[in-house]
Amino acid sequence: MVVQVLAGFVSAVAFAFIYNVPRSEIFRTGILGGLGWLTFSLTKDAGGEVGAMFLGATSVALCSELFARRYKQPVIIFLVPGVIPLVPGGRAYLTMLSFLQHDYNEGVTLLVSTFFLAGAVAAGIIIASSIFRVYSRAKYVRRQL
Amino acid sequence: MEKLVGMVLLAGELLLTCGAEMYRVEETIERMGISAGFAQVESFATPTGLFLSLHTSDGRVYTRVRRIRRSFSNLALISEINAISRSFSSGETTIEDVTTRLKGLKKEGVPHNFLRLLMGGMGAAAFTVLYSGSGIEALIAGIIGLIILLIDNKLEDYPIPNALVAAVGAAVAAGLAKGAALLLTINTNVITLGAVMILAPGVVMTTAIRDMLSGELVSGVTRGAEALSIAVGIATGVAIILSMGGN
């Protein structure tokens, strides 16, 4: 698992380079990549794959919002490389492979689980960002009063 | 006044071309417009075009439309423009300064340097490890990742749709993995998967979700479609190679 968390770190750093994240923030995006995979592997047995994916994405998105405010950077600088290791690319690949081998039963099963995993990642991002949006809106309203 | 309008328009255009979320584009335009002294600022940004009108306090209206034809993912530019707009709003920099800095940024595209390719290769290797590949498989995936990034960098200079660029990269990755399997006993699936993951449309996907969330339905749907078309392109590229000559 340590190796996998490290791989999550490296893949996030790699994406940070591919999308040209500012050099000063690259290490932090790596931490988020590792964090996402760590949360996912720790909760996978207890919460099931989809639930673990949701928690992983939520933790990454929450920390991205925190980092963005702390270091005065746009949120997507942290969020994009951070969630990349969680994207269910492997499942999508196996789906395509099953369809190619005319194994439609397996293909549809994998397709549905790919959709659920991708949905879990999206839901994690949406919920974490919404929490921060409500919070900053509340702060804004309070300042107006 | 003309200069101010040009500056605000340029900032918005740059943000759109490097893949920022819509609310960031519109918010930046609004913030810069208000700090530049306009009474009212209205803007409407979509992934393929930008409309804005700036109202002065004496009743004149400046309206501009800018068509966005080309876009790429460069997060450093977004961060840079964010910093410029912050310092302009707080009155630390002048209009001339902001305009020259923005014009300088406009010349930048996605940097094509060797470090980026090398890190892309590292990423492909890391994904192979994430999908439980062995050390030698990770190494091969890393080399393949480097090669396909190089090819895609070259292709991006031509007016080729993003989905096709992704398909070509994926086909090359699958072909090379298959070729390597002739020499070594390795799992081609893990290698191909690790290598094509670096072609995944990360920025487009994430901004699509965030746009949807902030009520930007038009750009949420169009960016979602763009991400989907790139994913389909990758799948097609791999599928073509895999279905050739059996397994």
Side-chain angles (χ1 to χ4, degrees):
Chain A
M1 199 181 82
V2 177
V3 177
Q4 294 228 320
V5 170
L6 214 60
F9 178 92
V10 175
S11 53
V13 168
F15 261 92
F17 271 96
I18 290 175
Y19 291 131
N20 195 22
V21 165
R23 288 291 146 88
S24 54
E25 312 300 326
I26 280 177
F27 184 72
R28 291 173 194 138
T29 63
I31 291 176
L32 291 178
L35 171 78
W37 200 265
L38 183 70
T39 317
F40 174 70
S41 356
L42 286 181
T43 52
K44 194 164 63 180
D45 296 328
E49 236 178 355
V50 176
M53 195 62 101
F54 171 74
L55 288 177
T58 311
S59 63
V60 171
L62 278 176
C63 288
S64 302
E65 299 271 350
L66 280 175
F67 278 12
R69 279 162 180 76
R70 176 90 174 68
Y71 301 109
K72 294 210 179 347
Q73 294 282 356
V75 179
I76 53 171
I77 281 186
F78 301 108
L79 189 58
V80 172
V83 297
I84 279 282
L86 296 174
V87 170
R91 205 56 68 86
Y93 185 88
L94 291 177
T95 307
M96 183 199 64
L97 206 62
S98 305
F99 280 123
L100 273 183
Q101 291 162 345
H102 302 286
D103 189 349
Y104 297 114
N105 284 329
E106 183 67 17
V108 171
T109 311
L110 284 168
L111 185 68
V112 172
S113 79
T114 308
F115 267 117
F116 272 114
L117 288 176
V121 174
I125 296 173
I126 287 174
I127 288 186
S129 306
S130 303
I131 290 172
F132 271 89
R133 201 153 297 193
V134 170
Y135 168 73
S136 45
R137 171 64 44 179
K139 211 166 70 177
Y140 176 74
V141 169
R142 219 177 308 138
R143 211 183 301 147
Q144 296 280 299
L145 289 176
Chain B
M1 271 306 168
E2 286 293 334
K3 254 195 215 160
L4 286 171
V5 177
M7 177 193 75
V8 174
L9 184 66
L10 185 59
E13 183 195 350
L14 277 175
L15 279 176
L16 272 179
T17 46
C18 50
E21 309 106 299
M22 294 307 130
Y23 88 88
R24 178 172 303 282
V25 179
E26 291 174 359
E27 211 178 86
T28 306
I29 286 174
E30 199 165 309
R31 198 165 42 184
M32 288 181 82
I34 297 290
S35 338
F38 291 99
Q40 193 191 345
V41 180
E42 294 290 340
S43 67
F44 177 57
T46 74
T48 49
L50 172 65
F51 312 83
L52 77 104
S53 69
L54 302 158
H55 302 247
T56 58
S57 41
D58 55 1
R60 277 176 302 160
V61 183
Y62 295 90
T63 300
R64 295 287 184 276
V65 178
R66 186 57 58 93
R67 177 76 167 87
I68 309 293
R69 291 218 154 71
R70 192 174 73 99
S71 66
F72 43 81
S73 304
N74 187 341
L75 298 180
L77 283 191
I78 299 178
S79 159
E80 194 86 14
I81 297 164
N82 189 46
I84 292 176
S85 112
R86 268 174 199 275
S87 73
F88 179 72
S89 306
S90 59
E92 286 162 28
T93 36
T94 60
I95 311 153
E96 281 77 21
D97 203 23
V98 170
T99 313
T100 44
R101 275 169 78 185
L102 288 176
K103 276 185 180 151
L105 291 180
K106 196 182 180 180
K107 292 197 191 84
E108 259 181 63
V110 179
H112 291 188
N113 53 32
F114 187 67
L115 186 63
R116 179 167 174 267
L117 296 179
L118 204 65
M119 288 311 294
M122 285 273 286
F127 273 114
T128 307
V129 174
L130 273 185
Y131 294 116
S132 41
S134 68
I136 181 85
E137 286 163 348
L139 184 70
I140 295 171
I143 296 166
I144 294 176
L146 206 151
I147 294 170
I148 59 176
L149 265 188
L150 193 65
I151 292 173
D152 281 4
N153 271 352
K154 287 274 173 283
L155 287 180
E156 270 161 17
D157 295 340
Y158 302 97
I160 302 172
N162 290 340
L164 189 59
V165 172
V168 172
V172 171
L176 288 175
K178 245 185 163 179
L182 295 176
L183 307 169
L184 301 156
T185 45
I186 42 174
N187 183 350
T188 46
N189 286 338
V190 193
I191 295 176
T192 313
L193 175 56
V196 298
M197 271 306 280
I198 58 174
L199 300 173
V203 173
V204 183
M205 222 160 44
T206 321
T207 48
I209 297 171
R210 286 179 60 85
D211 276 344
M212 270 295 193
L213 174 66
S214 48
E216 304 287 345
L217 301 180
V218 175
S219 50
V221 170
T222 47
R223 278 195 163 146
E226 190 185 350
L228 194 65
S229 78
I230 293 174
V232 168
I234 295 174
T236 312
V238 177
I240 287 170
I241 298 298
L242 285 187
S243 54
M244 280 197 306
N247 256 319

